[in-house]
Amino acid sequence: MNIGIDMMGGDYAPQEAVKGVKQYLLKNSFEQLHLVLFGNEEQLKPLLSENEVPQEKYTIQPTSQVIGMNEHPTKALKEKTDSSIAVGFQHLAAGKIDAFISAGNTGAMMVGAMFSIKVVEGVLRPTISSVIPKPDGSTGLLLDVGLNADCKPEHLNQFAVMGSVFCQYIFGVENPKVGLMNVGEEEGKGNILAQAAYPMLKSNKAINFIGNVEGRDVFRNQADVMVCEGFTGNVILKMAESIYDIAQEQQIDNPYLNRFNFEIYGGTPVLGVEKPVIIGHGISHATAFSNMIDVAVKMLNTDVLGKVKEAVQRI
């Protein structure tokens, strides 16, 4: 199992990326795991040595360029072919690594995911999701959270299928409950998209559709998978992130509120592409990098993307 990591992406790279690699390896001892670290070799070597990262567990793939957080994604990938992100996707496409992780330019990661590797046959649009903590200790999944700001009903129908498969195999939830984000519980509520998506989801035998869910249900145990277009999903995601920030500012130490810390979930997997691509937050620290590796390992061990492919093609 070879997992590639963009060591130069993110506000605190490469220091926090190196610390994250060490953190993960201290907690896990998979003999079959090998990490391919993409980045500036002169910067990485002393940091890896200083942090005593076992040399047998990684290989440095030297790169000479970095795609900045504010650069235009497509232009940057074309012009910076020796960047850590571009070279990482080259290796992923060639089968030299099995998964790729980055906390760098989100747009570049999305462009790379959709054009360097194949979109699953039958998938109309790949999607990204976010983990939503529930008061009972469980976790929900919200998608889309920003990749697809405008959607058609068919997109939400596929998001529901992909989210259900991910929730089942990564979170261990049998027969996940799927809800459609809406402004009311009753069938027929909502805008044109919601009204058109409801009957499609209702007739989809591949999911356990429970109907509409409202904003007040997002953090409750109403649904395991909640689907919406990316505009609404991103608003909810950013609101959820602010809950943890406010709790920290107010010095509130609460077990539930602490679970809103994005770092404990690692990053966001792109669902609907052939190989695992994990996108981390730009402000990721060591814990986030460690948990991104963990997400990639779980996705590979469960072959969740293969199961997503099977589920999408069945409908």
Side-chain angles (χ1 to χ4, degrees):
M1 182 185 297
N2 297 307
I3 294 177
I5 307 173
D6 167 20
M7 302 297 286
M8 311 306 292
D11 295 348
Y12 306 110
Q15 291 88 349
E16 291 300 317
V18 170
K19 290 178 182 178
V21 167
K22 177 185 178 181
Q23 189 177 119
Y24 180 82
L25 293 175
L26 283 174
K27 293 188 298 182
N28 302 277
S29 57
F30 299 121
E31 290 185 6
Q32 71 274 26
L33 176 66
H34 190 79
L35 302 176
V36 181
L37 312 181
F38 298 90
N40 185 304
E41 189 171 21
E42 292 183 3
Q43 293 183 46
L44 291 176
K45 273 190 172 181
L47 287 171
L48 290 162
S49 176
E50 178 185 321
N51 284 274
E52 300 180 334
V53 179
Q55 292 185 15
E56 70 275 10
K57 300 302 294 184
Y58 69 85
T59 300
I60 297 176
Q61 178 59 50
T63 61
S64 60
Q65 297 172 306
V66 177
I67 295 178
M69 298 298 278
N70 297 316
E71 290 191 63
H72 187 279
T74 306
K75 182 180 179 183
L77 282 171
K78 285 182 178 179
E79 295 180 353
K80 293 186 173 181
T81 55
D82 198 44
S83 64
S84 48
I85 289 180
V87 177
F89 275 114
Q90 291 166 19
H91 277 61
L92 187 62
K96 296 179 181 178
I97 56 175
D98 303 305
F100 184 48
I101 292 165
S102 176
N105 187 302
T106 300
M109 286 296 292
M110 289 309 312
V111 171
M114 290 190 284
F115 294 102
S116 296
I117 57 176
K118 293 181 180 179
V119 173
V120 169
E121 185 179 353
V123 169
L124 300 172
R125 288 187 187 176
T127 181
I128 54 176
S129 61
S130 179
V131 173
I132 301 295
K134 306 286 188 174
D136 65 354
S138 64
T139 52
L141 194 70
L142 176 70
L143 67 169
D144 185 279
V145 293
L147 180 55
N148 302 287
D150 296 298
C151 292
K152 295 179 180 179
E154 294 83 1
H155 299 143
L156 299 192
N157 194 38
Q158 285 195 346
F159 296 168
V161 173
M162 293 190 284
S164 292
V165 172
F166 189 85
C167 195
Q168 180 180 353
Y169 288 96
I170 301 301
F171 297 160
V173 179
E174 289 297 326
N175 199 26
K177 297 177 291 183
V178 178
L180 172 65
M181 288 302 307
N182 211 326
V183 295
E185 295 179 354
E186 304 84 1
E187 185 173 352
K189 284 279 189 175
N191 57 17
I192 294 173
L193 174 62
Q195 291 177 29
Y198 191 103
M200 194 171 289
L201 293 164
K202 186 177 180 180
S203 62
N204 187 344
K205 302 301 181 184
I207 61 173
N208 176 19
F209 182 57
I210 62 166
N212 291 326
V213 292
E214 300 180 77
R216 62 186 175 186
D217 302 316
V218 172
F219 303 119
R220 296 290 182 182
N221 200 27
Q222 188 77 6
D224 301 301
V225 178
M226 296 161 283
V227 295
C228 57
E229 90 296 335
F231 184 92
T232 299
N234 193 262
V235 170
I236 295 173
L237 169 62
K238 297 298 172 57
M239 179 183 68
E241 289 180 348
S242 74
I243 292 174
Y244 178 75
D245 293 337
I246 293 170
Q248 293 299 295
E249 291 168 6
Q250 299 292 323
Q251 297 183 332
I252 300 172
D253 184 16
N254 177 274
Y256 175 59
L257 296 181
N258 289 343
R259 292 177 60 217
F260 281 85
N261 180 3
F262 75 89
E263 300 235 8
I264 66 176
Y265 305 108
T268 297
V270 182
L271 299 180
V273 294
E274 291 278 2
K275 297 180 180 182
V277 174
I278 316 291
I279 302 175
H281 205 299
I283 57 172
S284 292
H285 289 84
T287 299
F289 278 99
S290 174
N291 287 323
M292 278 191 275
I293 299 171
D294 190 53
V295 171
V297 169
K298 286 179 180 177
M299 291 180 72
L300 290 168
N301 281 337
T302 59
D303 187 28
V304 67
L305 294 184
K307 293 175 172 64
V308 164
K309 182 177 181 178
E310 292 172 7
V312 169
Q313 292 179 349
R314 277 198 301 269
I315 65 167

